[in-house]
Amino acid sequence: MKTSIAAKSDRPSTLKVWVLASRPHTLTASIAPVVVGWALVQHYSKNHPIDQNLSLISFLFAAFACFIQLATNLHNDYADFIKGADTDKRVGQARATQKGWLTPFQTAAGSTLCIAIATCIGIRLTCMMGRWDAYMIFVTITSAFNAVCYTGGPFPLGYIGLGHLSIGYSGLGDVFVFLYFGLVATVTVPYIYIVRMILNEDAGVADVFRHELFMTSLIVALPVGFLATGIIVVNNLRDRLTDIHVGKNTLAVKFGEAFTRIEYLVLVLGSYIMLLPLAQIPILKGETIGDANYLLYLPLLSFPKARGDMKAMWFKGKDGAALNPHVGGTAKIQLLYCLLLVIGLKLTK
């Protein structure tokens, strides 16, 4: 069994250890997209039926997404240590298991508890939809599975012969984050709203709901997902020189530093460019006269913050431990971008 390489006397309080292990500087990545989805439904409901349980549904799904991210973070803390990725040469933020502040059993158990809570919330949301909906069941099951499969390791997948599987180690981490912390996190509240309304509307109205709101939420989810993916891109660029020694084949390891820096810039700039088509979508324009709803350009106010992080990620920019502030920094960009987008939607008549 591996032993801690850090002095036990350096251990923070138990509460602080668990807070650090949860990685609070990035937890907004799971909540901000849900708030955007809620705001889309709120905007759409101005001229359509209102779901009295919308706030509760949004809160529950935000909690679901947050517990899935907590589970993923804690399992990553456990599995990266077990697989040798987190050593004394680590340049990222402190990891509780690697530091000896928590045992592998404790972080794995914490992850399992978070998955159990998320699963219960997912079941509750499915029940609130008035039917056993295939989409919500799929999201609940795959999210729980991906929380442990992101890093892999002997627990719990090893017990069913799948310990070799790892989304992150196979270079699919960016895709996973984009899909689940971008698309799924943004579109699920609108989707639940649509399903609940279908039960009370005729087929013609239901078709309009499906086409207008769901497709719009899918488009809005793209820039949100771009920024969520940017968080993991910074993380992978920072860790590439240690990841390569343990077979953690992230895109940064596979394609190198230049590719990763370009990827980040494309993702962040792409999120702002996406505001142009978003402002043109008919149901987002409200009573706006003209070609675009300029209130949806409010996220541009977050660009000065993004500019600093893009500069750090530019060629010959920061590297290694110097990138640590920009992991959380990119999460702040996404949070600010999403909040400004929500304000734009709320101000649109």
Side-chain angles (χ1 to χ4, degrees), residues 129 131 191-203 205-207 209-210:
M129 295 174 73
R131 68 186 191 189
Y191 176 81
I192 294 175
Y193 169 79
I194 291 168
V195 171
R196 285 170 59 86
M197 290 299 101
I198 285 175
L199 298 177
N200 300 311
E201 299 290 340
D202 59 68
V205 175
D207 286 341
F209 279 145
R210 278 195 290 265

Side-chain angles (χ1 to χ4, degrees), residues 54-299:
L54 177 63
S55 295
L56 175 60
I57 289 169
S58 301
F59 172 79
L60 287 174
F61 188 67
F64 170 85
C66 187
F67 275 109
I68 288 295
Q69 187 179 1
L70 282 168
T72 306
N73 290 347
L74 289 170
H75 189 269
N76 174 259
D77 198 302
Y78 150 78
D80 266 352
F81 174 74
I82 292 295
K83 298 170 83 167
D86 284 348
T87 67
D88 58 340
K89 295 182 180 179
R90 175 178 172 78
V91 296
Q93 287 94 343
R95 291 289 179 260
T97 314
Q98 180 262 327
K99 288 288 187 181
W101 299 336
L102 295 173
T103 66
F105 174 83
Q106 287 175 310
T107 44
S111 174
T112 303
L113 176 61
C114 290
I115 290 173
I117 294 172
T119 301
C120 291
I121 296 173
I123 293 172
R124 172 60 178 151
L125 284 168
T126 304
C127 293
M128 291 182 71
M129 295 174 73
R131 68 186 191 189
W132 286 97
D133 184 79
Y135 169 82
M136 196 62 221
I137 293 172
F138 176 81
V139 167
T140 301
I141 293 174
T142 58
S143 295
F145 178 79
N146 291 338
V148 294
C149 189
Y150 183 83
T151 314
F155 178 83
L157 297 181
Y159 291 102
I160 55 175
L162 298 177
H164 62 285
L165 291 181
S166 173
I167 294 171
Y169 279 65
S170 61
L172 296 175
D174 302 49
V175 176
F176 162 74
V177 170
F178 177 75
L179 290 177
Y180 279 83
F181 291 94
L183 302 189
V184 172
T186 306
V187 307
T188 297
V189 169
Y191 176 81
I192 294 175
Y193 169 79
I194 291 168
V195 171
R196 285 170 59 86
M197 290 299 101
I198 285 175
L199 298 177
N200 300 311
E201 299 290 340
D202 59 68
V205 175
D207 286 341
V208 173
F209 279 145
R210 278 195 290 265
H211 178 73
E212 288 187 332
L213 181 56
F214 185 74
M215 293 308 297
T216 298
S217 66
L218 198 59
I219 296 171
V220 172
L222 295 177
V224 177
F226 290 165
L227 291 173
T229 308
I231 299 171
I232 197 68
V233 171
V234 182
N235 184 86
N236 290 343
L237 177 66
R238 180 197 64 197
D239 294 342
R240 72 190 186 283
L241 297 180
T242 52
D243 287 344
I244 194 172
H245 296 297
V246 293
K248 191 173 184 178
N249 295 314
T250 63
L251 293 186
V253 170
K254 287 184 175 182
F255 299 113
E257 177 184 356
F259 170 88
T260 310
R261 293 186 186 277
I262 292 173
E263 180 189 9
Y264 182 85
L265 295 173
V266 168
L267 288 169
V268 175
L269 289 175
S271 68
Y272 290 99
I273 293 172
M274 278 296 299
L275 293 173
L276 295 173
L278 288 184
Q280 304 284 343
I281 297 176
I283 71 169
L284 296 184
K285 292 170 66 175
E287 299 176 1
T288 303
I289 299 175
D291 296 330
N293 178 4
Y294 296 106
L295 287 170
L296 297 186
Y297 293 148
L298 278 176

Side-chain angles (χ1 to χ4, degrees), residues 21-39:
S22 73
R23 308 177 196 177
H25 58 292
T26 61
L27 284 181
T28 54
S30 59
I31 299 173
V34 181
V35 176
V36 171
W38 165 81

